[in-house]
Amino acid sequence: MLRRVDADLSVPELMAEIGRRARLAAQSLSTASPDQKTAALVAMADAVDRRTAAILDANSRDMANGQKAGMSAALLDRLKLDESRVAGISQSIRAIAGLKDPVGDVIAEWDRPNGLHIERVRTPLGVVGVIYESRPNVTADAGALCLKSGNAVILRGGSDSAHSSCAIHEALLEGLLAAGLPDDAIQLVPTTDRAAVGEMLMGLAGSLDVIIPRGGKSLVARVQAEARVPVFAHLEGICHLYVDASADLAMARRIAVNAKMRRTGVCGSAETLLVDRIAAPTHLVPLLLDLKSAGCEIRGDSAVKDLFADVELATEGDWSTEYLDAIISVKLVDGVDGAIEHINHYSSHHTEAVIAEDLRVVERFFNEIDSAILLHNASTQFADGGEFGMGAEIGIATGKMHARGPVGVEQLTSFKYQVRGNGQIRP
Amino acid sequence: MLRRVDADLSVPELMAEIGRRARLAAQSLSTASPDQKTAALVAMADAVDRRTAAILDANSRDMANGQKAGMSAALLDRLKLDESRVAGISQSIRAIAGLKDPVGDVIAEWDRPNGLHIERVRTPLGVVGVIYESRPNVTADAGALCLKSGNAVILRGGSDSAHSSCAIHEALLEGLLAAGLPDDAIQLVPTTDRAAVGEMLMGLAGSLDVIIPRGGKSLVARVQAEARVPVFAHLEGICHLYVDASADLAMARRIAVNAKMRRTGVCGSAETLLVDRIAAPTHLVPLLLDLKSAGCEIRGDSAVKDLFADVELATEGDWSTEYLDAIISVKLVDGVDGAIEHINHYSSHHTEAVIAEDLRVVERFFNEIDSAILLHNASTQFADGGEFGMGAEIGIATGKMHARGPVGVEQLTSFKYQVRGNGQIRP
């Protein structure tokens, strides 16, 4: 992009131009053949592999800047690439290349009594905007998922990872050109001026169909509050694990530790454990001992503290806190009714799990809680497009419009109706 | 509503209260049984029938006000109810009662290698806002469709039809109460203050999930420009009919007259006829003679005028005008390429039809035009939820998010994932 956009443009002019180019690219992508898109993706993966040294070199510049700026160890780890992480990037592109092409898929079809045959057929959405922070791999994942689904994408990465993203983007462009696809199909915004984000939130004068923010809560909150175009996002994952009196205790213990501790920084990590009051005498202490010995801090309500002294007393704020850390809030509830009531009050509508052998409890939990993902006898950490079999995800959405849960290639499509007749007129 | 909302509330307070009540009602509707919703709908239809005299009396007050205010004959016709139209309203509710309940439908299900079973299950959207103008039947159609799909609805009718809408709404409330459902499930905004619309466009502090405007272009344009919540709508239907050189002329003539003239005031009425330049010598004159003798005024480009003198010369503005009247713009184009180019430039992405026997032409038309509805050898006037077999529609959407084309009960739903395991943890 840098080489082709006039350097004298103001940010609004630059972004409008990027939007226009994306719209044109989207038009030609919408009729690109599945083979052409797959070829481009494979060429991208090859280019990433071949350019590994250049990508690592660019990343070391970002890392040096980050260290100089006093970036936290956690952020530096998100930013850091090494040979195996770059190989992971190209592997991920290859996996997306191997997915079924969603465009043209007949989602439903039926005949009408007058002989009309109606098909609902998948189409690309158009132009996707992705606003992300320090993870450079989002450049490749988002670019590849959007291409597979026939969408043009405008990528706005964080300034912290600008060199890394740019080096990865060069590899994506090489793949597009090798397959004869327009390089405007995957554009990286060539400025770190924050005004560029503001322009994207306003929709680039109708050139942007949806925005996907990938990053911390403040980024997502800003996008959700200000965007004038649809947003696929989740603000946070306040995920609950409810252990019913009918639960298999051994299973509940295994799942509780996994749901909280497998990775504490992911959105599907459990933040609150709800235990059926009836089962507390038998189930609570083993569950909390397991969590403790896995290194988890426990904040419990007073009923929990009565049964297990070694906990900090939870405050009201704990029930709506996404710790993203080795901390869990724990509460006794009155059966599935109490669990449903607590979750419907505090949940971020992301993911909730119930551990129970009583299937009536499961049905009530599934029917009366309106979260994107509900799990029975499984860890909340399965909240992931890859684990759902979608191949890859560009994020997880908690809104109820269009996409909900993991956003993969199918969720990046719309549809149109194709109706075939033989001369029908309407009476 | 009027009897229960404190009359001293300001409009923002009133609307916030309506929103809160709708959200609560939505929660209880989301778990209402299919039978209970069907019973409510049947009771509503019965109540409409029983209250016919009261509804007609209310309508005659609206009609008298409209006549006093100098309302146009077309608007008065939209407003007017008689016994057969009221019977149509109750029939329509009964038809919606008979539709398959979409809530709980398993849209897709699959197994993962680790044994997890994943289902994507339909859920209600939540709270729907409908803003409409003078057609009183929208009160019943929107109320019934939202109830069937498990959504609470906030209806904001036009002041012109306030008495009629209120009388119909009373019948809907009677049905809800008869079935033991909360009467807040279908609320009619009890004020004609335009500020109420502004509050709905802002989303009632998160209580509104989607807005559906039903009315003229200026209403829809305002909603699309100002709404901070998703909108299902079409601004206009600039629908095209393309007659290819391979078309069966007799079929093309029949369809052209039907597409334009069956009803000129509906959004699926054709506004522009595109004729393949190669076929012009044989096809153009018969097509235009048929349209003329059906009472249609013709505005053609100069190439059309060369072949058929009795036309007004079209201006640039004609190609983007939704006449909603017995007027059609006509242009010669260079085959399907020319048709696609013209339509992609001027279309409102609503509905386009191609008349052709050459299936390669049809495939290109279907693939390269991104409108909600594409038809082959059939009239554009089939753009209608009833004609699609959806039972009824609350409107037609031209956006690409969530709903596109006719918006029926399925389009008024979202989904959630229900995942069943037997102790799976994520490695």
Side-chain angles (χ1 to χ4, degrees), chain B residues 1-3 43-44 47-48 50-51 54-55 139 163-177 183 186 188:
Chain B
M1 280 303 311
L2 273 167
R3 68 194 180 286
M44 285 177 191
V48 167
R50 213 169 33 240
R51 290 161 176 264
I55 292 169
T139 310
H163 293 101
S164 315
S165 295
C166 196
I168 294 169
H169 181 241
E170 289 290 330
L172 305 186
L173 291 183
E174 192 181 324
L176 287 171
L177 294 174
D183 56 353
I186 303 177
L188 181 67

Side-chain angles (χ1 to χ4, degrees), chain B residues 326-339:
Chain B
I327 309 172
I328 196 165
S329 55
V330 185
K331 191 183 198 175
L332 299 191
V333 293
D334 292 320
V336 71
D337 281 301

